[in-house]
Amino acid sequence: MTEREICKLRGRILHTKIYILNFKYQTCAEISGKVLDGASFSNDATSDIRRTCSISLIPDNKTLDLTNANVWIDKYIQIYCGIEDDKGEIVYTNMGIYLIDSPNVTYDATNNTLTLAGNDLMCKTTGLRNGYLEGIEYQIPQDSNIKNVLTTIVKDCGFTKYAIEEASPTPACPNQVSVSVGGVVHDLISQLTQINANYQSYFDVNGTFRFNQIPSGKDEQVRVDDKIWNKVLISYQKNTNFENVKNYIEVYGHTDEHGNTPFGVAKDENPQSPFYYQGTTGIIRLVCSGDEYDNIFTSRLAQERANYELYLHCKLQDSLTLECVPILWLDTNWLIEITLPNESTTEKYIIKSISTNLGVQGTQTITLMKYYPLYP
């Protein structure tokens, strides 16, 4: 069976295997044993550290001293979860590569349990596990190529797996990028990523650093449809947070010495949207200026940021939450389509976060935003 076929099974026998990797992604050891009920995995496309995990098991390794900090301090773990098919063969899914955060071993007369909590590799740049810059101010000159700078940063951090795209429409830094003393590598990555508002930087399930455009759903493949949802869906809830809904965005950038201020405006001009600014909702304005917006030096960047703020405050607010039997191979920013129970139309959504609990009663919670093809 394939991963897509096996997720439709009603009854499941779960298996897990955990590999210890060095920083060159080479396998050093495998942890085997009985995994306890309640392992959890999260994947949030809006978070700097996108993937996290927590898993407890009774290890049967006799030669590996799991209480020794040297086992973990310079290592990654890669977790695979598997489901038995009807022939007893196990189909495994890669659940991600993580840095260990606070490994815990509990031992007594009746218990010998290893608990691992992990964060994806971005934590090596945020200060959570390394990432602090030397005690000087770091500066990236104006007109530096974003792709080249990010490549240098990633390589200097020791990462050997990366896929960095040429940024568009602004491939070079429009102004100097600076990080003061005491900053972390992620401060540089974040500032470079934010130059183009529709870009993202993250580590994928294989531990590869990626810099690319945030998928909009336009002209993209539908990854999951009713053939699967009809087998796994438990319940759903439609959510709208009206406090966060803004359908008319104004962005004001940095005012120069001549008094000129870059400006951009974005409106929800999609008649299909419940937040259409000329519809019954009317204009709900948001003015963005100061602080991080002072890093905007051109009107083109101000317009891009206005479009992105509209995406955050309008498009993202029309959301759907699904509870289902876990689909282990799902990923964020995928386009899916679903016909909800009690509704007659099939709609498209984009996955924004996934929270998975494995065990006897384990379920998966998926947060999605409505796909509107008329949005920029």
Side-chain angles (χ1 to χ4, degrees), residues 79-97:
I79 302 176
Y80 287 85
C81 291
I83 302 173
E84 277 191 30
D85 65 15
D86 51 8
K87 297 180 181 178
E89 297 181 359
I90 304 171
V91 178
Y92 280 102
T93 298
N94 177 18
M95 301 300 290
I97 296 178

Side-chain angles (χ1 to χ4, degrees), residues 228-266:
I228 290 179
W229 298 124
N230 289 341
K231 297 289 186 180
V232 302
L233 183 64
I234 297 172
S235 64
Y236 75 90
Q237 179 180 357
K238 285 193 171 181
N239 307 291
T240 303
N241 186 342
F242 287 109
E243 181 180 353
N244 292 328
V245 171
K246 313 293 178 186
N247 61 7
Y248 192 100
I249 310 292
E250 297 177 3
V251 171
Y252 296 87
H254 178 79
T255 301
D256 64 22
E257 64 273 16
H258 304 293
N260 300 315
T261 304
F263 172 73
V265 61

Side-chain angles (χ1 to χ4, degrees), residues 68-359:
N68 189 342
N70 291 330
V71 173
W72 311 109
I73 193 66
D74 60 348
K75 303 293 191 303
Y76 304 140
I77 61 166
Q78 185 168 25
I79 302 176
Y80 287 85
C81 291
I83 302 173
E84 277 191 30
D85 65 15
D86 51 8
K87 297 180 181 178
E89 297 181 359
I90 304 171
V91 178
Y92 280 102
T93 298
N94 177 18
M95 301 300 290
I97 296 178
Y98 304 89
L99 272 164
I100 295 300
D101 183 24
S102 302
N104 180 270
V105 178
T106 301
Y107 179 82
D108 56 38
T110 59
N111 189 34
N112 183 14
T113 303
L114 172 67
T115 299
L116 301 173
N119 300 296
D120 75 26
L121 307 195
M122 190 64 82
C123 69
K124 285 185 72 175
T125 72
T126 63
L128 184 62
R129 281 286 300 276
N130 211 341
Y132 281 98
L133 298 167
E134 294 182 22
I136 58 174
E137 181 178 2
Y138 276 72
Q139 297 180 345
I140 298 172
Q142 183 179 357
D143 297 325
S144 298
N145 180 270
I146 295 171
K147 177 181 178 180
N148 293 344
V149 173
L150 279 174
T151 300
T152 300
I153 291 172
V154 170
K155 291 171 69 174
D156 286 347
C157 287
F159 298 117
T160 58
K161 297 168 63 175
Y162 49 87
I164 301 173
E165 295 182 1
E166 193 76 49
S168 175
T170 309
C173 300
N175 56 282
Q176 179 176 283
V177 174
S178 302
V179 174
S180 59
V181 175
V184 295
V185 172
H186 189 262
D187 293 335
L188 292 173
I189 294 174
S190 180
Q191 288 191 52
L192 292 167
T193 302
Q194 291 173 10
I195 289 172
N196 292 274
N198 60 334
Y199 270 68
Q200 59 181 350
S201 52
Y202 64 100
F203 281 87
D204 69 14
V205 72
N206 296 307
T208 300
F209 176 85
R210 294 189 177 274
F211 173 76
N212 53 35
Q213 278 191 312
I214 300 171
S216 68
K218 183 180 179 182
D219 299 326
E220 292 180 15
Q221 174 189 358
V222 172
R223 303 295 193 107
V224 190
D225 56 24
D226 287 336
K227 293 177 183 178
I228 290 179
W229 298 124
N230 289 341
K231 297 289 186 180
V232 302
L233 183 64
I234 297 172
S235 64
Y236 75 90
Q237 179 180 357
K238 285 193 171 181
N239 307 291
T240 303
N241 186 342
F242 287 109
E243 181 180 353
N244 292 328
V245 171
K246 313 293 178 186
N247 61 7
Y248 192 100
I249 310 292
E250 297 177 3
V251 171
Y252 296 87
H254 178 79
T255 301
D256 64 22
E257 64 273 16
H258 304 293
N260 300 315
T261 304
F263 172 73
V265 61
K267 317 163 194 174
D268 187 344
E269 299 179 294
N270 186 350
Q272 299 177 17
S273 168
F275 312 126
Y276 179 43
Y277 89 108
Q278 290 185 334
T280 57
T281 303
I283 292 177
I284 308 174
R285 190 186 308 271
L286 175 67
V287 177
C288 304
S289 64
D291 297 327
E292 62 185 288
Y293 303 100
D294 275 335
N295 293 320
I296 296 173
F297 289 82
T298 67
S299 293
R300 184 174 68 177
L301 289 176
Q303 184 58 53
E304 291 176 13
R305 185 56 184 262
N307 293 340
Y308 182 63
E309 294 290 345
L310 183 71
Y311 166 87
L312 293 177
H313 290 281
C314 202
K315 186 177 178 184
L316 274 181
Q317 304 309 314
D318 192 2
S319 63
L320 171 71
T321 301
L322 303 179
E323 183 182 13
C324 63
V325 178
I327 305 171
L328 301 181
W329 41 268
L330 279 187
D331 206 350
T332 50
N333 286 327
W334 281 8
L335 180 69
I336 68 101
E337 64 179 21
I338 186 171
T339 308
L340 295 171
N342 303 320
E343 297 191 14
S344 58
T345 58
T346 300
E347 302 284 359
K348 291 182 179 179
Y349 290 86
I350 298 174
I351 299 173
K352 300 313 295 182
S353 69
I354 306 165
S355 179
T356 306
N357 183 276
L358 300 180

